[in-house]
Amino acid sequence: MNLDVLKEFAHFLRQSPPLKLRRIQRIGDNLFKMEVNENVFYIDLSRAKSTIFTTSDILVATRLYQAPFDKSLQKYCNNTILTNAQVDGDNRILRLFLQAQNHYKTSETILQMEFTGRNTNLILLDSRSVVLDALHHITKEQSFREVRISKPLIALPQPQKIPAQQDKKIELFRVFQENYKELNAKTLQSKIHKSQTLITQKIKRLNQILHSLENKENLESQSKQESSLGQLIVRNLYLHPHFKGTHLELEGINVSLPKKAQNLSAAAQIFFENAKKLNKRAQNIHLQEQNLSEKIAFYENLLKMIQNVTNLSDLEILNSNLHSDRLQNSKKSSKQKQEVKPYESFFVEGFKVSFGKNESENLALLKDAKSDDVWLHIRDVPSSHCIIHCGKAKISDIILYKVAEILVGLRQDSYAHYTIDYTRRKFVKLIQGANVIYGKEQTLELKKD
């Protein structure tokens, strides 16, 4: 983080009348979204590459951060007045002085952003510089500068070498926008490449399984052969009531008896059971082919979406499908046996979002959904049903649009415009197959790039 840019940012934040810090929240492990009046700034505190940037892209996290520090941010920072902003001398440390007004008293908090190389941090302090909470807690064993709750924070020594100052005027918002472009240029393409490789491997494996499926005609032929052998034994059973061998000639045919058969009656039963199993596999082989083909089509569409993604936030959401089991079960005991769901899922700000690829998956999804979950569907187009598993929680417009973008992006058609209806699951009624009627819906309009 450039020191001159940080000082210019502090100057921008010192306004009269004072600005309002509406909200600051974590949307990545080290990425924070800060809303100041009508402006949105992103504070990236990744070690060794910390920065501040702005973007017109809507960045949404896969998970909702609810650690104690995130709750402290909400408690001490949201809806506060930004009374002052200072840089700590020549240290790349920005201190925001916040004032909160409630019914009983006025409280003051300092939000300290440290862009100090490997030791980046976000620290909440009271007016006496005592630590209220911190993104990274640091003990005496780790550093001379302890960062622990209820302990005073020691000021960081000033650098011995004073950084050279820029002569030209800093265009703050242009710099922040360039920071975002640089961040994407450095990391987005490499992460897209990794995701492409992973999905391509999945598609390759699925194609291998598809092409290795048994032939329906061969299975039916084997089924008839097993059934014929069973009938042959039944017809001749009375001729060999006490036979105990492994081979027997019947009606000019040499029959090899199953190893598990204790007698001819048991052998006939095994042949008949094998015939039923083979016939069932033959009749269901098309379902396996359909399931694999739909899975391949899903990943091919997901691959196209990933290739066209423009920011890391959207990439993380799309990648959440590849790790959906880990994300879904992260809070559950490893001893619990998890049921594999037939439909596909992503995660948007901690909400599981599921899509059906065909009629059976749509039916399973509608069955699993709770009454207050949010249902989405593209109007007048045969398509996936979508469920946001949210219960009674309120879903923001940002999440709705992100989910709608995925719903549209997973389609193979290329209409210029889509209308997406959404409502609570309890207002959706199945009428035939996965066809539904619904009410109390609201509508989103979406253009596909």
Side-chain angles (χ1 to χ4, degrees), residues 76-90:
Y76 291 108
C77 300
N78 289 357
N79 295 313
T80 55
I81 301 300
L82 213 166
T83 59
N84 197 4
Q86 298 176 352
V87 172
D88 179 24
D90 291 320

Side-chain angles (χ1 to χ4, degrees), residues 12-68:
F12 168 81
L13 295 175
R14 293 193 300 269
Q15 293 192 21
S16 182
L19 299 173
K20 183 175 184 179
L21 176 54
R22 298 185 182 279
R23 188 182 189 191
I24 181 168
Q25 66 174 130
R26 184 155 44 150
I27 62 171
D29 289 347
N30 295 290
L31 181 62
F32 295 83
K33 179 180 179 181
M34 186 171 74
E35 301 174 27
V36 180
N37 280 27
E38 72 280 1
N39 296 301
V40 176
F41 303 98
Y42 293 92
I43 316 298
D44 189 343
L45 292 171
S46 300
R47 291 178 178 175
K49 55 180 181 179
S50 57
T51 189
I52 301 173
F53 65 84
T54 59
T55 175
S56 57
D57 292 343
I58 299 174
L59 307 187
V60 179
T62 56
R63 54 179 286 202
L64 184 63
Y65 289 88
Q66 293 181 313

Side-chain angles (χ1 to χ4, degrees), residues 113-132:
M113 303 175 182
E114 301 191 344
F115 302 87
T116 48
R118 292 189 306 169
N119 302 315
T120 58
N121 209 343
L122 189 62
I123 306 171
L124 282 165
L125 305 166
D126 67 12
S127 57
R128 300 170 298 161
S129 290
V130 173
V131 176
L132 298 171

Side-chain angles (χ1 to χ4, degrees), residues 3 100 143:
L3 179 61
S143 172

